[in-house]
Structures are given as C-alpha cells and as structure tokens.
Amino acid sequence: MLKCRTVWKKLAPLARSSSTLCRQNVKRTGLNNGRIPTCVPAANMSTGPGGLGGDNLKYTIMVGAACVGSLTYAYFLLKGDQKRYQERIEEITTRSQRSSKEEAATVQSEPPAVEATQTEAVPESVPEAAPSPEEPSPPAAPAEEPAAPAEAAAPSETTAPPPAADSTPASLKVPSHTPYLLIGGGTASFAAARSIRARDPGARVLIVTDEPDLPYMRPPLSKELWFSDDPSVTETLRFKQWNGKERSIYFQPPSFYINSEELASAENGGVAVLTGKKVVHMDVRGNKVKLDDDTEISYDKCLIATGGVPRNLQVIERAGEEVMKKTTLFRKIEDFKSLDSVSRNAKSITIIGGGFLGSELACALGRRSTESGLEVIQMFPEKGNMGKVLPEYLSNWTTEKVKREGVKVISEALVKSVTCKDDKLEIHLKDGRLVKTDHIVAAVGLEPNVDLAKSAGLEVDSDFGGYRVNAELQARSNIWVAGDAACFYDIRLGRRRVEHHDHAVVSGRLAGENMTGASKPYWHQSMFWSDLGPDVGYEAIGIVDSSLPTVGVFAKATAKDTPKAATEKSGTGIRSESETEDTATSPVASVTPLPPVAHKDDYGKGVIFYLRDKVVVGIILWNVFNRMPIARKIIKDGEEHADLNEVAKLFNIHED
C-alpha cells in the first residue's frame, strides 16, 4: 500500500500538468476563432476537422506518451524496490547466523572458570591530552573504545595482573591504510591520539611501537616503583604514590583501545596500538611506511614520536660482550624488571652518571641497600650530584643527601676502561682509582631516535639533535614531530630540544591538534621534576644550566615542604599533569617581611633563578610545589628584575 501511494505521488503532477495544457489549448482556440463559440461541444472537438488537426493532435500524443512513460517508470520502480527488499532480508538473515556462530565459538574457547574483575573509578586531575595513568597493564586483545570521549577520559583502577610481554597476536592483520599514523608508543604519541580524538571523535588512529607494551608513563620506573612494598611489583607494575594512592604506569586500560584489524571498519573510529612492530622506512612522497616485516601502511597524516635511546660509554661498548651483559641502559619496562632482579641478587651495583636518572636510581637502590646489604656506588665526572643543573653549593648539599641514603659517591670520576675479571667488573678511572662491582647502570643521557630521517629526507638539527620542526611542530606538510625527538623553536629561549615528561604531554597534544587543522604555534613552557625520595624534590622550568649566573633565595622547610606532602595536597602523583593546565595571571607577592637569613647550609626550600643577560631564563623550585604557573609567567614576561628577593616573594616561600 505504501508503494502504491508513493507511485501515485510521483504520477499525480504529470496528470495535472497534461490536463491543464488541454484546457489552455481549448481557451486559446476559442479566442482566435470568433466564429466558433468558446463553449464548443465535446463532439465537435473530437470529430470535426478542427478537433483532430493542428495543435490538438500534438497535445493528445504528448499526453499519451506521458502516461506510457509514467506506467513504465512505476513498473521498474516497484520491481527495484522488491529486489532491494529481498536483498535486505537475506543480509539480515545471514548476519544473524554469523553472529550465532561467533558467539558459539567464543563460548567454546573460554576457560571454564573466570574470575570477575572489580573496577573502581578514582578521580584524578587529568590534562586534556594525557589522562591520569591509573590503569592496569595491558592484556592480549584490546576491546573497542567507548564511543563517548568523556567516558574514555576517566581511567579506571583494576586488580587484574598484566599479561605476558607481547600483547599483539602473531596472526593480527595489519591495516593497509590509516588516516592518522603515530610512530612511537610513548607519552607524546598517546597525548596526540587523545588530542586527535577530542577534536575529531570519529578519527581512526593507529599507534605503531616497537615495544611489547601499550602506552605507559616512564617517570615511575626510576621513582615510585622502587619504593613499593609489593614483592610482585615487577609483574603488576602498580605502585603507591607519595600520597598513598595506588595506580598503574599504563595510561589507559586495554578496553580503551580497539583491535588494529577492526580499525578501518569501526563505526565511531578509535585508537589501535600495533605493538612489537618497528617502522624502518618512510616514503614521504607516497605517504606510506614500511615495517620491519616488510608490511606497508599508507597514511593521510603522520606523527613521529620515536623518543630516544639511552647513551652508553664508548669504553663499555668496546669492552666486549661479557661486560655488556653486566651493563644496564635504563629506559623501558624490561630495563626496570632486569635491574630489579639484579639488585636482589648482586652484591654491588655501580651507577655511572650524576644527572636526574642516575641520582634517582642511586637514591632508590640506596634505600633498598639498607635492608639487603647491597652496595650502591654512584660515580660521575662533576663535583656533585646534578652538577650540570644545580649551582655548586646546592649540588654539594644534594650529594650529602644521596650519601645519607646509603650510596657511596665517587665524584670527579672519569672512566678509562672497564674489564671483566673473575666474574667481577673492574672500572679503571683516569686518576688511577679502581672500582670493583657486579653490575653497571649507565645513566649518561639520551640520544634522540632519528633513524627515519634518511629515508624520509627530514632535517636533523646539528646542535641539539632531533628532527627540526617549525613553530607548529611540522617537519613536512603532513608530518609532525613531538616529544624527545623534536627540536623546536622557543619564541622566548630560542631553539631547544627537551627530554621531559611534561614536554612530551604538551608537544604531543599540540601536534594532535595541528594534525586536525588547529594550526597553533608552540608557546607553552614545559616543566620537569625530580625526586630524591619522598623528602626532597624539585620542579624546574626553562633553561637550568649551572654554567649560567644564579640567584637563590631559601627559607626553612616545614613538614609540608616535601614531594609526599605536595601529592597528598594535590591528589596527583605526576605533578606536571596538574600544572600543565594552570595559568598565572597576576601573582600577588606575600607582604610578610623576609625572616632572618637561615644557616648557610640549610637549603630546606627555596627558589633558584637562572639569568642570561640579566633576564630570568630558568627557575628551580626547591621543595616548593604548586607554584609553577608563577614561574612560567616570569619567564614568559622576559623582564629584568632589580631585586630577585622581591620576585621570590611571589612564591610565598616564607609562609608557614
């Protein structure tokens, strides 16, 4: 009935138009021939000479042709509708049968008993592109991402243990094309994926990483994980923050991601992760990449977020395979697991390097040595810990702090050679000193991963390393770079390359926005932080180089001036996550007068300003927390300050 009504609606206008033409013709005939009345009988019109001749014959033929055409159109329309109806019925029947077979196969493949996983939502302060990582380690096959971005933004806590190392099935089909291709599975890549999905909810994003794990955060690998009381921490990869809350190092649970072979057909798009695969060649003109198994993937837009690889000392590399087997280059989850195992079995571990990573690991292992009897040695060429960052007086104070953690510190140590003798490593220093140890941890910096530069024809910065990008983090019209591998131009501080978590969050998020057409320049001053255990920590921003002139303003610390107290107050463990979104507009200085100067060796808390041409270009907040927006504004203003003691009042360091 509905089909007939539809056909009649289409034919009715044709019939009405034909009738109208006939009536108009009759009227015109009556007006042109005065001898024939306008109301001519119908018989005369049909049988007389005037009725069958001239224009009337043409109109009669037109009406007949219209009727025949309309009937023909209606016939084919009804026949086509019937055919489409039959095809639809067959498709629905086939789909139902296929779903029944898949459900039956799934039930047969499941184990007989499965424990239910309890999920508990934990509120966190989460940045737009890098949510608070409160998720479990990834199991094998990720499910489809929820359609609503707001739901995906809320990570969850689960008690499920992590799976085996490789979470990508061997038979997983690699998509041949993806609109958004992200090379690298670190913080910058994940932040970009979240940013792309926020601006384009239906986007299909593919992350390709050579690691066997889903995206995770690296800072806890050298910080909180070492202070966990859980003996199975290397398996769960869960830890307690300084504020006592428990979380996982993974950014999102596996349910956040979809299977890579389902990416192309996902109705609402999603984020898929291809683990254990490395991009070895990049064809910029053809918009495609080649993996290490010769698989090719084409893309519309691409992000390079390959991060970096740990540097090693040449003397260790030349020492041979036996020495290399007893050396750890600390960077990934597998490095944490390996070093944790070594620390429980070896009698002595030597850390070479006095920077952030070396000092953090030294304090972590030193704390463990008090219980296990492990000898922890730290050596570096500088005079004190973090000598390239902190002014000399504060570096010396930090060195004493590290020693109190149970670490034997050897300063001004230049390694001449390393040999293996009687299953022990012998480290020969250039001044003649000899150090014997069971294992070495080389923490001497990071080399940006620019392996794709040659095949892609991308420019590498000769001074700082990394891919040179413009203010929008673009290396080419449809290629962006973020994180450790990006060498960008800072409008305040010049060209730079930054190797810190907060920069990875910010640059990844900006790259994701620009990949969806935002065209925003990079202006944000990222921060970084380091903790020497739960009692001493600092946050820094800008250029912090001990070779620059510095001015430090200190005050006596209280019980709340520690990393532990700061996280208890803010509710976050990764302090940059809460700082990234904050802005300072008009900080108000404390009216409290400066107290008497504390003892010269008491550096409980304070602010250190780094100057270049009398302008503040870097700031360290020493055991001063939740004040980073103020520091960011001072650097952004780029003004000269006659009295930095007055500037220090903006941070309220003298208030209890």
Side-chain angles (χ1 to χ4, degrees):
M1 190 65 184
L2 292 175
K3 295 179 182 178
C4 293
R5 184 180 299 173
T6 303
V7 172
W8 169 247
K9 287 182 179 179
K10 294 182 179 179
L11 295 180
L14 294 176
R16 285 196 296 268
S17 62
S18 299
S19 176
T20 302
L21 287 173
C22 290
R23 288 195 299 272
Q24 291 176 352
N25 182 62
V26 171
K27 291 181 181 180
R28 282 197 297 270
T29 303
L31 291 174
N32 293 335
N33 191 352
R35 292 173 298 177
I36 302 175
T38 56
C39 298
V40 181
N44 290 341
M45 291 181 64
S46 60
T47 59
L52 288 175
D55 293 336
N56 287 341
L57 180 61
K58 295 179 182 179
Y59 290 124
T60 303
I61 294 173
M62 290 176 61
V63 172
C67 292
V68 173
S70 300
L71 292 174
T72 304
Y73 174 78
Y75 171 75
F76 284 106
L77 182 64
L78 292 174
K79 187 175 181 180
D81 287 344
Q82 184 178 8
K83 182 179 180 181
R84 284 190 293 271
Y85 176 77
Q86 292 296 335
E87 291 177 351
R88 180 62 176 167
I89 293 299
E90 292 177 0
E91 180 183 353
I92 294 174
T93 304
T94 305
R95 184 187 302 171
S96 301
Q97 294 175 353
R98 190 188 308 118
S99 300
S100 300
K101 292 180 180 179
E102 291 178 354
E103 291 177 1
T106 303
V107 172
Q108 292 176 1
S109 62
E110 289 181 352
V114 180
E115 292 185 0
T117 303
Q118 297 181 352
T119 304
E120 178 184 357
V122 178
E124 287 287 345
S125 175
V126 184
E128 179 181 342
S132 177
E134 300 203 315
E135 298 72 35
S137 50
E144 185 173 352
E145 175 190 5
E151 294 178 4
S156 61
E157 294 273 356
T158 71
T159 57
D166 194 349
S167 58
T168 303
S171 60
L172 190 64
K173 183 180 179 181
V174 178
S176 59
H177 177 80
T178 180
Y180 296 97
L181 175 65
L182 312 184
I183 305 176
T187 300
S189 187
F190 178 80
R194 288 299 303 271
S195 183
I196 291 171
R197 291 279 295 167
R199 288 177 55 88
D200 183 4
R204 294 176 173 86
V205 183
L206 177 63
I207 298 176
V208 180
T209 173
D210 59 353
E211 294 192 48
D213 304 286
L214 295 176
Y216 62 92
M217 48 190 290
R218 300 189 191 276
L221 297 179
S222 60
K223 295 181 175 71
E224 294 94 338
L225 281 176
W226 290 98
F227 295 88
S228 174
D229 297 328
D230 184 4
S232 62
V233 65
T234 55
E235 299 300 325
T236 63
L237 295 176
R238 300 185 64 82
F239 61 94
K240 286 186 178 180
Q241 305 165 189
W242 303 139
N243 60 5
K245 291 184 178 180
E246 188 177 271
R247 72 191 304 173
S248 167
I249 70 170
Y250 291 97
F251 283 113
Q252 286 286 4
S255 58
F256 174 81
Y257 307 96
I258 65 175
N259 201 308
S260 60
E261 60 186 1
E262 300 173 356
L263 183 62
S265 60
E267 181 179 357
N268 297 316
V271 180
V273 182
L274 200 60
T275 58
K277 302 290 184 182
K278 183 177 181 180
V279 176
V280 296
H281 186 273
M282 193 170 188
D283 181 1
V284 175
R285 291 187 177 181
N287 286 354
K288 59 184 179 181
V289 299
K290 181 186 290 185
L291 306 183
D292 49 3
D293 59 359
D294 292 332
T295 303
E296 290 189 348
I297 303 175
S298 61
Y299 60 85
D300 296 331
K301 296 179 180 180
C302 178
L303 172 70
I304 300 176
T306 49
V309 294
R311 290 193 184 102
N312 196 2
L313 295 176
Q314 292 185 357
V315 293
I316 295 179
E317 293 177 344
R318 295 195 300 260
E321 183 179 355
E322 197 171 3
V323 173
M324 285 296 298
K325 287 182 178 179
K326 295 179 177 292
T327 301
T328 295
L329 302 179
F330 198 89
R331 176 69 173 172
K332 303 177 181 179
I333 289 178
E334 59 191 54
D335 301 325
F336 164 72
K337 293 181 177 181
S338 173
L339 186 58
D340 178 80
S341 176
V342 169
S343 67
R344 298 180 186 278
N345 297 286
K347 295 181 179 180
S348 173
I349 295 179
T350 298
I351 301 169
I352 302 178
F356 304 108
L357 178 61
S359 298
E360 289 172 359
L361 289 176
C363 286
L365 292 173
R367 183 72 63 91
R368 178 173 292 185
S369 69
T370 58
E371 302 173 358
S372 61
L374 173 69
E375 181 186 31
V376 180
I377 304 170
Q378 184 186 16
M379 60 173 61
F380 41 79
E382 297 81 23
K383 292 183 178 180
N385 284 78
M386 293 178 287
K388 293 182 178 180
V389 176
L390 302 177
E392 184 175 351
Y393 63 89
L394 196 55
S395 174
N396 293 337
W397 186 90
T398 304
T399 302
E400 294 302 317
K401 161 65 178 173
V402 174
K403 289 180 179 178
R404 290 195 296 271
E405 293 292 334
V407 180
K408 179 181 179 181
V409 177
I410 304 176
S411 60
E412 298 180 280
L414 296 174
V415 180
K416 181 180 180 180
S417 64
V418 180
T419 58
C420 186
K421 184 178 180 181
D422 298 332
D423 205 33
K424 280 271 190 179
L425 294 178
E426 295 185 350
I427 305 174
H428 302 268
L429 304 182
K430 290 187 176 181
D431 59 5
R433 286 179 289 181
L434 174 65
V435 177
K436 294 183 179 181
T437 188
D438 294 324
H439 196 84
I440 291 176
V441 179
V444 292
L446 193 71
E447 192 72 29
N449 186 347
V450 292
D451 292 345
L452 296 175
K454 185 176 181 179
S455 62
L458 302 178
E459 182 181 3
V460 176
D461 190 87
S462 58
D463 295 326
F464 300 97
Y467 299 95
R468 281 181 75 98
V469 295
N470 62 15
E472 297 175 5
L473 302 180
Q474 268 187 309
R476 287 288 189 276
S477 60
N478 62 340
I479 299 177
W480 287 259
V481 186
D484 299 343
C487 181
F488 63 99
Y489 183 77
D490 189 316
I491 58 176
R492 287 293 179 190
L493 307 176
R495 187 158 288 278
R496 305 173 62 199
R497 190 178 65 82
V498 181
E499 301 174 356
H500 297 293
H501 175 86
D502 188 56
H503 168 70
V505 172
V506 176
S507 63
R509 181 175 57 204
L510 178 65
E513 292 178 352
N514 289 339
M515 291 173 77
T516 54
S519 300
K520 293 181 180 179
Y522 189 98
W523 60 267
H524 181 85
Q525 284 293 335
S526 61
M527 57 88 72
F528 63 92
W529 81 102
S530 181
D531 294 335
L532 303 179
D535 300 324
V536 176
Y538 63 88
E539 299 172 354
I541 189 172
I543 299 177
V544 286
D545 187 339
S546 60
S547 64
L548 294 174
T550 62
V551 174
V553 181
F554 293 89
K556 185 177 181 179
T558 64
K560 64 181 181 180
D561 299 317
T562 64
K564 181 178 180 180
T567 54
E568 287 176 349
K569 181 178 180 181
S570 66
T572 61
I574 303 302
R575 294 195 292 274
S576 62
E577 291 184 0
S578 58
E579 296 292 339
T580 300
E581 300 302 320
D582 294 337
T583 57
T585 53
S586 56
V588 180
S590 171
V591 296
T592 305
L594 290 176
V597 179
H599 190 272
K600 64 178 181 178
D601 291 333
D602 185 6
Y603 305 114
K605 65 176 179 178
V607 183
I608 302 99
F609 300 97
Y610 291 75
L611 308 175
R612 187 169 64 187
D613 299 328
K614 299 182 180 180
V615 175
V616 176
V617 295
I619 297 176
I620 284 183
L621 304 181
W622 186 263
N623 271 346
V624 176
F625 307 100
N626 302 318
R627 298 287 190 276
M628 189 52 64
I630 301 174
R632 183 174 288 116
K633 186 177 186 302
I634 292 173
I635 294 179
K636 183 180 179 180
D637 292 343
E639 300 175 354
E640 292 188 19
H641 298 278
D643 188 358
L644 290 174
N645 284 286
E646 292 298 319
V647 179
K649 290 182 180 180
L650 297 173
F651 298 92
N652 298 331
I653 62 173
H654 299 292
E655 291 186 354
D656 293 333

